[in-house]
Amino acid sequence: MATTWLDISSLYGSTTDIAYRIRSKVDGKLLTQEVQSPGTRAKASYLPFNPMGVPTNTRPGVEPEGLFAGGDPRTNEDWLLLGIHTLLLREHNRLCDILKKQKPGWDDEQLYQTVRLVMSAKHALIANAYQMAYWTEKMPWPRDDGFPLYRQMFGENALEINPANTYPWPLVTKNGKPMTVSAEMAVVYRFHEFIIPNFPIKDQNNETLWEQNLFDTSFNSTGFLNAGLERILAGALSSHIPNFKSGVDESFRSAGLYRGRPFDIVVSSIVHEREQGLPTFNQYFREYNAQDPEVVVPIRDIWDKFSTDPEDIENLKKLYKHPDDIDLVVGCQLGEEWFPGTTVPKSALIISLFSLFGMGNSDRFSIGFAMMRCLLVDRPWDCHPSNALEDLIWERKDVPGFPNFRFYSDFWLKKLDLPAHGTNLLWRLITENSEINCVQRSPLFPPDNITNPILCSQEAGKGTSLVVLLNLFQIALSLLKQGPYSFIATVIITAGSGILAIIHYLGWKTSGRHKT
C-alpha cells in the first residue's frame, strides 16, 4: 500500500506518471518480462527491469535500471515482497485476458481501469480473510462478514453494524469525507513480527535447496529470477510465520543493509513517530478511552504495567523519565493483552483497525458498496451502476418489461470469492498464477494434516445457508429503514424476476435437449 486507499498502489503506482510508465498499453496489461526460471515447465511473467526510470529504492553499487520496475519504491527490498508483487502482476494480466474475452469491444484503457478496480476488490477481500486468520473461537458470530471487530469496538450487534450500507457511510467518514490512513497507523502497522529472517528455497519436489537469509535478498533482482518465483513461494509457504508477540527480535535491530543502509526497525519507528508529532502511548489512549469505547485500553501509569519482563522494565527506566513519556510504538510493541476474540495485541489492533476499516469502507469504489448498489441505492429492476466494478457485479438480465434489470453475476461473484468473503482468494492467487498446484487451505500458516490441510483444488467459496440468510436479513432491515413500500416492492420484483429467470433457464435446458 503506497497511498491512503486499499487500491494496490504498490503495484500500479501512486501517480499517473508512474502508472503510465509501467503499462504495456495493450489490452489493459502491465509491462512484463517473460522468463523460464529453474525448475519450471515454461516461461512466465515477471516484473520488467527499469530502463524507464521508475523511482525505486536501491543500495550502493546497484543501479536502478538493473532492478525491477514497480509502483512502489520499496518493490525490490526483499524476495518475499517481490514474490507478492509478481503474483499481483500476473493476476492483473490474467484478469485482462478474461475480461477481453467478455468485452471484445473494449479498448486498453477500459480493460486496464476495470481490472484495477477488480484487483482492489480482491485486495480488500484478502485483507478481510487476513484479519479472520487471527480470530479465536471467542469472536462473536457472525465472524466472516468483515465487521465483527467494529461491532466489538462499539458494542453493537450484527443488525446495527453489517455490510448492508450505502456510500457515504457515516460511521467511517469524517466531516463527510472518506477516511484515509492515519499517521499513527503508518508507524504502528509494522507487523514485522511476521517477517521471517530466513526461509528455505525449495524445488518442485519440496526438497530444500538452501536456506536463504531474507536481508541478503535486498535489491537482488537477478538472484530473484535465478531462484524463481515457485521456489521462493514454496519455501515461504512451508515457513512458520510467528504470531504477534511482545518485543522485537534482534534480527530486526541489526539487519545489515536491508534497505541499502544499516537498519534498525525500532529506531526507525521511533524517529518516524516523533517526526510526525504523535502523542505518547498514554496520551493517545487517554484520548481514546475518553470516547467511551466498548474495548478500553488500560493506561500504563506505572513502569510495571508495560511488561511482565523485568529486563524490559529496567530498560524503560533507563530510556525514559516517566511512564507517560514512553513512545506510542514502544508501548504497542510491548502489548501483552489481546483484543477480545483475537490473537492480536489490543493497542496495536485498535490503531490499525480504525484506519484499515475506515479506508476499506469509506471508499465509494469499495466492493462492499458495489454489492449493495442495486439493492439499497437502485433496485434490481432499474439498476444503474456508477462504476466499472458495479457494472461487472450487476449483470444485465433479459427480463421482459424491465430494460435496466440487473442481478448478481454468477461469474464475477465466484471470481471474487464473495460467497466465502474472500477466504479462498490467497490460495487461488498462488495456484492460478504459478506452477504450484497444491497449497495449504490457509497459506498464512504452515500446512497441517488436520487443521490446515494441503489442497490441490478448491471450489469457489460457498457460503453457509446461515450466513446467506443473515446477509439477506441485514439487507431487508436496511430496506425497511428506507420505508416499508420500498422493501415490499423490492422483495416482490426480485422474487418474481427470480422465478422468471428459473423458467427461462428451464426452458433453455429443455430446448437444448430437444436440439440434441
Side-chain angles (χ1 to χ4, degrees), residues 104-246:
W106 279 19
D107 61 19
D108 170 69
E109 188 68 16
Q110 287 175 295
L111 292 168
Y112 170 79
Q113 296 294 352
T114 302
V115 170
R116 275 198 69 164
L117 285 177
V118 173
M119 289 289 288
S120 296
K122 285 197 168 192
H123 186 199
L125 289 163
I126 288 174
N128 181 51
Y130 167 76
Q131 67 168 342
M132 290 167 59
Y134 297 94
W135 296 347
T136 69
E137 292 300 316
K138 294 183 179 180
M139 177 63 70
W141 186 88
R143 298 175 186 164
D144 56 356
D145 66 355
F147 292 78
L149 289 175
Y150 239 51
R151 289 193 284 265
Q152 293 258 75
M153 185 76 72
F154 289 97
E156 298 286 1
N157 58 45
L159 301 182
E160 293 297 327
I161 297 180
N162 57 64
N165 301 291
T166 58
Y167 176 85
W169 185 23
L171 190 64
V172 292
T173 55
K174 290 183 177 181
N175 300 320
K177 296 182 179 180
M179 288 179 63
T180 57
V181 64
S182 64
E184 58 267 32
M185 178 186 163
V187 174
V188 173
Y189 196 70
R190 300 176 187 272
F191 290 163
H192 54 271
E193 293 99 330
F194 295 159
I195 304 174
I196 44 180
N198 299 281
F199 64 98
I201 302 296
K202 289 181 172 286
D203 64 15
Q204 60 269 33
N205 298 316
N206 208 35
E207 297 292 331
T208 298
L209 299 174
W210 72 85
E211 287 289 332
Q212 179 65 56
N213 179 277
L214 177 71
F215 305 115
D216 290 342
T217 68
S218 62
F219 310 108
N220 184 358
S221 52
T222 54
F224 181 80
L225 292 176
N226 290 335
L229 176 66
E230 279 75 6
R231 288 178 171 181
I232 292 167
L233 284 178
L237 288 167
S238 67
S239 300
H240 177 71
I241 301 175
N243 205 341
F244 288 98
K245 61 186 183 302
S246 178

Side-chain angles (χ1 to χ4, degrees), residues 274 303 315-326:
R274 293 180 181 180
W303 299 107
N315 287 331
L316 289 174
K317 290 179 179 178
K318 293 177 184 177
L319 294 169
Y320 298 95
K321 293 181 179 179
H322 189 275
D324 281 353
D325 297 332
I326 293 176

Side-chain angles (χ1 to χ4, degrees), residues 13-172:
S14 303
T15 67
T16 54
D17 174 58
I18 292 176
Y20 189 77
R21 285 197 238 176
I22 58 179
R23 288 174 59 178
S24 71
K25 289 85 173 178
V26 177
D27 295 338
K29 293 185 176 182
L30 300 175
L31 285 172
T32 67
Q33 57 175 312
E34 303 303 305
V35 177
Q36 183 172 1
S37 294
T40 58
R41 297 185 297 273
K43 287 185 175 182
S45 297
Y46 285 84
L47 292 164
F49 285 128
N50 192 25
M52 68 284 288
V54 171
T56 182
N57 296 345
T58 186
R59 59 180 168 83
V62 178
E63 295 298 324
E65 293 79 7
L67 296 174
F68 294 116
D72 191 318
R74 300 166 293 185
T75 297
N76 293 273
E77 286 186 354
D78 65 64
W79 285 359
L80 296 183
L81 187 60
L82 272 172
I84 298 299
H85 279 247
T86 304
L87 285 174
L88 293 174
L89 169 77
R90 294 181 183 181
E91 177 70 356
H92 173 96
N93 287 353
R94 189 181 74 87
L95 290 174
C96 285
D97 287 334
I98 291 173
L99 193 58
K100 183 172 175 59
K101 290 180 180 178
Q102 291 187 347
K103 310 284 186 180
W106 279 19
D107 61 19
D108 170 69
E109 188 68 16
Q110 287 175 295
L111 292 168
Y112 170 79
Q113 296 294 352
T114 302
V115 170
R116 275 198 69 164
L117 285 177
V118 173
M119 289 289 288
S120 296
K122 285 197 168 192
H123 186 199
L125 289 163
I126 288 174
N128 181 51
Y130 167 76
Q131 67 168 342
M132 290 167 59
Y134 297 94
W135 296 347
T136 69
E137 292 300 316
K138 294 183 179 180
M139 177 63 70
W141 186 88
R143 298 175 186 164
D144 56 356
D145 66 355
F147 292 78
L149 289 175
Y150 239 51
R151 289 193 284 265
Q152 293 258 75
M153 185 76 72
F154 289 97
E156 298 286 1
N157 58 45
L159 301 182
E160 293 297 327
I161 297 180
N162 57 64
N165 301 291
T166 58
Y167 176 85
W169 185 23
L171 190 64
V172 292

Side-chain angles (χ1 to χ4, degrees), residues 77 190 192 195 215 250-269:
E77 286 186 354
R190 300 176 187 272
H192 54 271
I195 304 174
F215 305 115
E250 180 58 33
S251 57
F252 295 96
R253 303 216 60 192
S254 53
L257 298 179
Y258 176 48
R259 294 184 173 176
R261 60 189 184 278
F263 181 68
D264 182 333
I265 196 167
V266 174
V267 172
S268 175
S269 298

Side-chain angles (χ1 to χ4, degrees), residues 284-452:
Y284 184 92
F285 283 104
R286 283 193 180 101
E287 288 296 319
Y288 165 79
N289 290 340
Q291 300 175 51
D292 194 28
E294 189 72 14
V295 180
V296 174
V297 176
I299 300 303
R300 304 175 194 173
D301 49 3
I302 60 174
W303 299 107
D304 290 347
K305 290 184 179 180
F306 275 95
S307 177
T308 57
D309 186 338
E311 185 178 356
D312 285 344
I313 298 301
E314 289 304 312
N315 287 331
L316 289 174
K317 290 179 179 178
K318 293 177 184 177
L319 294 169
Y320 298 95
K321 293 181 179 179
H322 189 275
D324 281 353
D325 297 332
I326 293 176
D327 293 282
L328 178 63
V329 68
V330 173
C332 289
Q333 286 299 326
L334 292 175
E336 298 175 353
E337 183 181 359
W338 294 156
F339 189 94
T342 77
T343 57
V344 184
K346 183 189 291 186
S347 55
L349 190 147
I350 287 171
I351 290 175
S352 61
L353 167 65
F354 276 121
S355 284
L356 276 179
F357 187 88
M359 289 159 57
N361 291 280
S362 64
D363 181 359
R364 73 182 183 90
F365 294 105
S366 78
I367 182 63
F369 293 134
M371 289 294 293
M372 295 295 116
R373 173 71 196 190
C374 297
L375 289 174
L376 301 183
V377 179
D378 297 332
R379 298 294 179 262
W381 64 88
D382 189 25
C383 177
H384 301 273
S386 66
N387 60 58
L389 180 61
E390 294 172 359
D391 185 61
L392 287 184
I393 290 175
W394 291 94
E395 186 177 61
R396 287 188 179 276
K397 304 293 182 181
D398 184 15
V399 178
F402 296 94
N404 296 318
F405 191 94
R406 289 175 179 255
F407 208 69
Y408 289 128
S409 163
D410 183 62
F411 178 86
W412 285 105
L413 259 60
K414 289 179 179 178
K415 281 294 176 188
L416 291 167
D417 196 40
L418 286 164
H421 299 279
T423 53
N424 301 312
L425 284 180
L426 189 55
W427 186 94
R428 285 165 47 185
L429 181 68
I430 296 167
T431 58
E432 292 175 346
N433 294 287
S434 73
E435 292 186 10
I436 298 175
N437 299 317
C438 301
V439 179
Q440 59 264 35
R441 176 183 285 123
S442 175
L444 293 169
F445 299 99
D448 182 278
N449 290 336
I450 298 175
T451 61
N452 198 22

